Amino acid sequence: MIVVGIDPGIARVGYGVLERTNRYPTPLAYGCIETKSSLSQSRRLREIYETISQVLDDYNPACVAIEQLFFSRNTTSAMQVSEARGVLLLAVEERDIPIAEYTPNQIKQAVTGSGRADKHQVQEMMRRLLRLQEIPRPDDAADGLAVALCHIHTMR
């Protein structure tokens, strides 16, 4: 079974593709969709939509797990990220793929054992748990892997 994990954003969307095997999850791909701030919001959303659509078509996942948004004081940024999350959910829904949502604390707890883990701890745990040669970079890609791994752990 293949799970795609998504860490939504507008400047960078992290994603990770894991295959759940009998014993250990196997990373198939991970990366980051980056959009330039010089582009219009609509163009950035289109790039996110087209790229995640390609990932979904390439890997045909059984499920997509996505991080729920944590709203801070910057409402402009929160709205832009919400729009990006919307196009991500649309791409998944168009393919009738089940969606699971997790809070940042749930994800950190599932992969590090602490809901207060920092970015570096998440990256290091992804390297260890997925038996990667290097820490996944950028941290958004590690977060995408963490979301997918959280879902796999939750399904057990």
Side-chain angles (χ1 to χ4, degrees):
M1 178 181 75
I2 295 174
V3 175
V4 171
I6 301 174
D7 176 32
I10 187 63
R12 297 192 331 197
V13 175
Y15 67 89
V17 183
L18 297 179
E19 183 172 19
R20 181 179 166 196
T21 56
N22 292 336
R23 187 138 199 205
Y24 299 106
T26 303
L28 301 178
Y30 59 90
C32 196
I33 303 165
E34 297 188 54
T35 64
K36 296 178 182 170
S37 61
S38 60
L39 297 175
S40 68
Q41 177 74 357
S42 59
R43 180 63 193 162
R44 294 172 92 179
L45 293 171
R46 180 177 175 179
E47 286 185 13
I48 290 167
Y49 174 82
E50 289 174 349
T51 306
I52 203 65
S53 292
Q54 189 63 57
V55 170
L56 296 172
D57 291 343
D58 288 348
Y59 292 98
N60 192 28
C63 183
V64 169
I66 189 165
E67 184 175 307
Q68 291 177 345
L69 295 182
F70 174 77
F71 290 99
S72 61
R73 293 182 184 166
N74 188 340
T75 56
T76 301
S77 176
M79 290 191 62
Q80 289 177 335
V81 175
S82 293
E83 290 175 353
R85 192 170 185 278
V87 299
L88 291 161
L89 291 171
L90 174 63
V92 175
E93 192 62 37
E94 281 182 329
R95 289 157 180 79
D96 291 319
I97 303 169
I99 300 168
E101 299 181 58
Y102 299 96
T103 67
N105 286 352
Q106 287 175 308
I107 296 162
K108 292 173 187 178
Q109 179 69 39
V111 301
T112 70
S114 170
R116 296 179 176 260
D118 64 24
K119 293 274 189 191
H120 180 71
Q121 289 171 301
V122 172
Q123 286 177 298
E124 178 59 27
M125 287 307 292
M126 289 304 89
R127 185 190 68 77
R128 289 181 184 188
L129 294 171
L130 299 176
R131 295 169 173 73
L132 299 171
Q133 295 294 321
E134 298 177 353
I135 288 176
R137 297 190 196 283
D139 56 12
D140 304 271
D143 290 347
L145 287 169
V147 177
L149 190 59
C150 173
H151 184 66
I152 288 172
H153 286 175
T154 302
M155 291 175 18
R156 291 184 180 171

